[in-house]
C-alpha cells in the first residue's frame, strides 16, 4: 500500500474518532514434524489446546493451528465452488475473475474506486471486495463467481472476521480505527480508535482468538487489541524505523509461539513473542517483504519480496531461510494465496499489471497473466479450512 489520498485525509481522523467515541457508534491431514528437539518433544507430549474465545471453533492441534486448512480439506459448503481467482485493482476499480484451470480471465466486474482486497466471509459463503475510497464492499457469490450487492462500510481498506464469527472488522486506514460490524446485517456495532496506528493495514489473531494484532504501515508499529472487549491493549514499536512503508502483512506461527511481521522498508520480517509484547529478532528476506503465506502442511512460509521480484521461502516454525525464488525478468509480487491442493502460489504483480502463478515445489513460474491496473489483494478460491479470518483467505 502506497500513501496517497487516504493518508492526506488522516488529518481529520482525530475528529472523526472523537465523535464516534462520544456517540457510541458502534480429508485427513497430519500435523507437521519439525526438526528441532523442542518441537519433537512438544509433539511427543502434547499440551492441551488453549481455551478459545467463546463461540470460536476449538483448536484441534495447538502445534499447528492451520491443521484444518490442509491440502484439499474443503468444508462441505465450498466443495463444489468453481476454482477461480478474484483479482481486485487499485487503479481500474474493478475485480477480474480468472479460471484456475485455464488461466483465462472469464469475467470483469466494476467494484468501486480503489479496490484493495477480496476477502472470504467467516462462514466461507461470500467473498467481499473492499473499496476504502468508495466506502463500501461488493459481495461475490463463490458458487457462481458473479458479483452481487454493494454494502456501505466505513473505509474498508482491509476486512477481517473475529474467530467466533461475531464481528466483521473494517480496518479503516484513513480513520486510524477499527469499525466493528454485524457480519450479517452489516449494522455498525462499535469503533476502536487507534490514534497512533497510522496506516492500519493487516491483521492476525492469536491461537485462542482472544488477541488480534494489527500492523501500522506508516507508524512502524503494531497495535494489539483485545477481541472480547474491542479495546486497544498496547502499541509495539519495531526496533528500527525507516521511511513510511512498514510493517505490512502479519502471520501467527503454526504453534502460536511467535508472530511474523513483514516490513517492506526493512526488507524482512520482525519476529514478535507469542504474547505480542516485544520484538525478539529480525529475519532478512528481500527488498520490500510484503505478503506472508503458509504451504498447506504449514511447514514452509512464502514471503513476497515486492521490490526484489522474488519469493523467500522460510521454515514456518523458525523462520530459517530455505530458498529464494526469483521471477524471470523480475516483477513486483505482492498479495495472494496458495491453491486448495497446495501446488500453486498465486500473487498479484502490483506494479506490473499481471498475476504470477508459481509452483510451490520449486518456485517455477507457471504463468504470467495480464490483468487490470494495479492488482492488489487477490483471493484464490476455494480455500480449505473450517472458517475464515478474512484478508485474502486466512483460514483455520
Amino acid at each position: 500500500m502506497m500513501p496517497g489520498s487516504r493518508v492526506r485525509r488522516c488529518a481529520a481522523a482525530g475528529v472523526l474518532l472523537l465523535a464516534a467515541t462520544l456517540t457510541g457508534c458502534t480429508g485427513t491431514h497430519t500435523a507437521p514434524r519439525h526438526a528441532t528437539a523442542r518441537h519433537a518433544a512438544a509433539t511427543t507430549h502434547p499440551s492441551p489446546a488453549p481455551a478459545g474465545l467463546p463461540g470460536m471453533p476449538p483448536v484441534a492441534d495447538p502445534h499447528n493451528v492451520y491443521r484444518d486448512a490442509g491440502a484439499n480439506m474443503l468444508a462441505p459448503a465450498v466443495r463444489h465452488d468453481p476454482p477461480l481467482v478474484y483479482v481486485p485493482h487499485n487503479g481500474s476499480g474493478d475485480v477480474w475473475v480468472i479460471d484456475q484451470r485455464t488461466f483465462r480471465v472469464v469475467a470483469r466486474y466494476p467494484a468501486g474506486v480503489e479496490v484493495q482486497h477480496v476477502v472470504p466471509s467467516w462462514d466461507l459463503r461470500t467473498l467481499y471486495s473492499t473499496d476504502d475510497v468508495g466506502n463500501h464492499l461488493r459481495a461475490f457469490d463463490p458458487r457462481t463467481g458473479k458479483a452481487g450487492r454493494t454494502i456501505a462500510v466505513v473505509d474498508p481498506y482491509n476486512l477481517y472476521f473475529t474467530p467466533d464469527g461475531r464481528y466483521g472488522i473494517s480496518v479503516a486506514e484513513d480513520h486510524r480505527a477499527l469499525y466493528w460490524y454485524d457480519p450479517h446485517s452489516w449494522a455498525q456495532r462499535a469503533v476502536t480508535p487507534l490514534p497512533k496506528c497510522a496506516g492500519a493495514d493487516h491483521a492476525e489473531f492469536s491461537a485462542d482468538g482472544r488477541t488480534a494484532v494489527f500492523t501500522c504501515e506508516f507508524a512502524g508499529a503494531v497495535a494489539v487489541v483485545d477481541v472480547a472487549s474491542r479495546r486497544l491493549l498496547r502499541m509495539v514499536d519495531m526496533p528500527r524505523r525507516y521511511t513510511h512503508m512498514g510493517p505490512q502483512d502479519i502471520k501467527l506461527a503454526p504453534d502460536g509461539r511467535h508472530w511474523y511481521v513483514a516490513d517492506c522498508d526493512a526488507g524482512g520480517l520482525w519476529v514478535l513473542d507469542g504474547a505480542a509484547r516485544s520484538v525478539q529478532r529480525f529475519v532478512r528476506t528481500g527488498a520490500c517483504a510484503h505478503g506472508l503465506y503458509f504451504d498447506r502442511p504449514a511447514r514452509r512460509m512464502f514471503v513476497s519480496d515486492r521490490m526484489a521480484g522474488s519469493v523467500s521461502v522460510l521454515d514456518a516454525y523458525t523462520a530459517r531461510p530455505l530458498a529464494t525464488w526469483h521471477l524471470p525478468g523480475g516483477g513486483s509480487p505482492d498479495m495472494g494465496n496458495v491453491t486448495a491442493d497446495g501446488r500453486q502460489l498465486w500473487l498479484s504483480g502490483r506494479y506490473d499489471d499481471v498475476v504470477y502463478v508459481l509452483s510451490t515445489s520449486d518456485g517455477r513460474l507457471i504463468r504470467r497473466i495480464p490483468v487490470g491496473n494495479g492488482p492488489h489483494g487477490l483471493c484464490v478460491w476455494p480455500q480449505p479450512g473450517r472458517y475464515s479470518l478474512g484478508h485474502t483467505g486466512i483460514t483455520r
Side-chain angles (χ1 to χ4, degrees):
M1 170 65 192
M2 293 292 290
S5 60
R6 285 180 301 287
V7 178
R8 291 192 291 271
R9 293 202 304 273
C10 282
V15 175
L16 291 171
L17 291 176
L18 178 60
T21 303
L22 292 175
T23 56
C25 291
T26 65
T28 62
H29 181 66
T30 303
R33 294 183 178 179
H34 197 267
T36 66
R38 182 178 67 179
H39 183 75
T43 305
T44 304
H45 303 287
S47 58
L53 182 74
M56 185 187 88
V59 177
D61 182 355
H63 304 295
N64 180 10
V65 298
Y66 308 104
R67 193 193 73 173
D68 290 295
N72 294 318
M73 295 178 68
L74 298 174
V78 307
R79 201 162 287 158
H80 300 293
D81 290 354
L84 301 172
V85 175
Y86 299 79
V87 186
H89 297 92
N90 292 164
S92 49
D94 51 12
V95 174
W96 291 22
V97 184
I98 301 173
D99 187 314
Q100 291 182 35
R101 295 162 295 194
T102 65
F103 306 111
R104 293 181 178 178
V105 176
V106 295
R108 304 176 188 181
Y109 297 99
V113 181
E114 191 167 297
V115 188
Q116 302 286 3
H117 302 91
V118 173
V119 178
S121 62
W122 184 88
D123 63 4
L124 312 174
R125 298 316 309 126
T126 307
L127 306 178
Y128 296 104
S129 63
T130 67
D131 177 8
D132 52 344
V133 174
N135 291 291
H136 73 261
L137 310 175
R138 185 159 195 193
F140 286 77
D141 183 349
R143 302 171 187 82
T144 63
K146 295 182 178 179
R149 65 177 179 139
T150 58
I151 303 163
V153 168
V154 177
D155 190 23
Y157 171 75
N158 217 330
L159 180 65
Y160 290 87
F161 295 90
T162 55
D164 59 1
R166 184 177 180 185
Y167 296 104
I169 307 172
S170 172
V171 183
E173 183 181 79
D174 267 7
H175 294 195
R176 299 194 187 195
L178 307 174
Y179 286 78
W180 303 70
Y181 289 87
D182 180 309
H184 306 290
S185 67
W186 291 101
Q188 191 181 124
R189 299 304 187 198
V191 178
T192 302
L194 304 176
K196 296 182 179 180
C197 185
D201 201 323
H202 297 186
E204 175 66 297
F205 295 84
S206 59
D208 62 10
R210 296 178 180 273
T211 304
V213 180
F214 293 82
T215 59
C216 308
E217 183 172 10
F218 309 140
V222 298
V224 183
V225 173
D226 179 77
V227 173
S229 67
R230 304 178 299 278
R231 182 171 60 91
L232 174 64
L233 297 176
R234 58 187 167 274
M235 300 289 296
V236 180
D237 292 329
M238 301 301 100
R240 293 191 300 277
R241 184 79 182 114
Y242 295 86
T243 55
H244 61 266
M245 285 290 290
Q248 286 86 14
D249 207 6
I250 178 170
K251 287 292 183 295
L252 184 70
D255 57 7
R257 291 178 182 269
H258 39 260
W259 311 66
Y260 300 121
V261 183
D263 191 316
C264 180
D265 277 343
L269 313 182
W270 300 107
V271 181
L272 275 65
D273 68 298
R277 293 186 176 276
S278 64
V279 178
Q280 297 179 322
R281 58 194 174 98
F282 178 74
V283 178
R284 187 166 300 283
T285 59
C288 196
H290 191 80
L292 304 176
Y293 308 95
F294 292 117
D295 67 4
R296 287 289 158 226
R299 292 177 181 142
R300 296 177 298 161
M301 179 168 57
F302 306 123
V303 183
S304 59
D305 300 317
R306 189 166 66 190
M307 302 310 294
S310 62
V311 173
S312 297
V313 185
L314 309 181
D315 183 288
Y317 286 85
T318 66
R320 178 174 61 88
L322 300 175
T324 302
W325 299 335
H326 295 278
L327 292 169
S332 53
D334 193 75
M335 306 303 302
N337 215 330
V338 175
T339 52
D341 62 10
R343 295 181 179 179
Q344 297 174 354
L345 172 65
W346 289 61
L347 295 170
S348 59
R350 187 73 173 276
Y351 305 132
D352 296 282
D353 298 342
V354 297
V355 166
Y356 311 109
V357 186
L358 287 78
S359 165
T360 56
S361 63
D362 57 9
R364 174 177 53 90
L365 180 64
I366 298 171
R367 194 65 60 100
R368 193 188 304 255
I369 306 169
V371 291
N373 183 4
H376 192 191
L378 67 81
C379 178
V380 178
W381 197 256
Q383 283 290 305
R386 299 169 296 169
Y387 62 97
S388 165
L389 295 172
H391 191 41
T392 58
I394 306 170
T395 57
R396 293 185 186 173

